[in-house]
Amino acid sequence: GYALVFPWFEGYPLGPLPEHMQALRALPLITRLALYDRLAEFLTLASAHDCVAAGLWDNDLLLKASSPQALFCSVDHYLRMPARAPYGKQPGSPWYVPPEGYEPGAPLSEAANVYAMGALAFTFFGDRETRSLKTWEAGPGLHRAAMTAVSDKPSRRYPDAAACLAAWRAEVMRLDVQAPKDS
């Protein structure tokens, strides 16, 4: 198996308490963009090592708001690519499980990591249930990037996690976001 070793920090898990999600969403957009980028980079690294990051849950996502940091403090499962959905549902929160993760024996590829990246974007910037542009807080270009990543069909998603992250970062560069002013 795998182990994840990281420097610990005092923070809080994103789930299951709604107050933690509210605290995340109260952070300035530029801060959430930086936090998201770090987590998306982790999923890209998993792909680069031929792993599907399965078992993602909000309570495995640790945030430190005082000096914004974010990390996955636990990922229950990694599946070596090429992988297949192991049960009637791939492990993890329904927010982060792609449609193919619900089909026993369905192939799970890097497209599953791309889906998780898109779903994570909705956690940070939008409404995870509706995925509506009306509730999105990070500009239409990033909404399009997130929607591409969470396409129901793997073939309509970005070809790999690196391409997804590159498209995301290109859209971030187009945003007019101001850093928060010190009080």
Side-chain angles (χ1 to χ4, degrees):
Y2 295 92
L4 182 63
V5 179
F6 55 89
W8 187 255
F9 59 71
E10 288 299 319
Y12 56 88
L14 186 56
L17 299 176
E19 301 85 50
H20 293 173
M21 181 68 77
Q22 292 166 357
L24 167 68
R25 298 304 288 272
L27 292 171
L29 177 60
I30 195 165
T31 301
R32 285 183 283 147
L33 287 166
L35 294 173
Y36 172 83
D37 190 83
R38 180 178 172 127
L39 298 171
E41 202 167 46
F42 171 79
L43 292 170
T44 302
L45 182 63
S47 287
H49 286 32
D50 293 327
C51 292
V52 174
L56 298 180
W57 300 87
D58 286 343
N59 49 335
D60 295 334
L61 208 164
L62 194 62
L63 298 171
K64 180 179 182 182
S66 61
S67 64
Q69 294 177 320
L71 59 87
F72 289 114
C73 61
S74 175
V75 176
D76 295 338
H77 301 280
Y78 283 92
L79 304 174
R80 206 43 137 159
M81 289 191 258
R84 298 221 171 259
Y87 323 109
K89 177 189 158 304
Q90 169 186 327
S93 168
W95 303 120
Y96 307 114
V97 176
E100 62 272 21
Y102 289 91
E103 301 171 26
L108 294 175
S109 65
E110 198 166 350
N113 286 345
V114 170
Y115 186 94
M117 290 168 74
L120 190 62
F122 282 98
T123 296
F124 274 68
F125 309 107
D127 181 336
R128 299 194 290 190
E129 291 182 34
T130 67
R131 297 182 177 158
S132 167
L133 181 57
K134 289 180 184 179
T135 58
W136 184 257
E137 301 172 344
L142 288 174
H143 184 263
R144 279 190 303 277
M147 288 298 290
T148 298
V150 296
S151 175
D152 285 344
K153 296 190 183 289
S155 63
R156 292 189 180 153
R157 296 177 203 149
Y158 292 100
D160 54 49
C164 181
L165 185 56
W168 179 268
R169 286 176 171 170
E171 290 300 330
V172 166
M173 296 306 291
R174 291 184 180 96
L175 286 178
D176 182 21
V177 180
Q178 303 298 316
K181 300 202 185 309
D182 293 332
S183 313

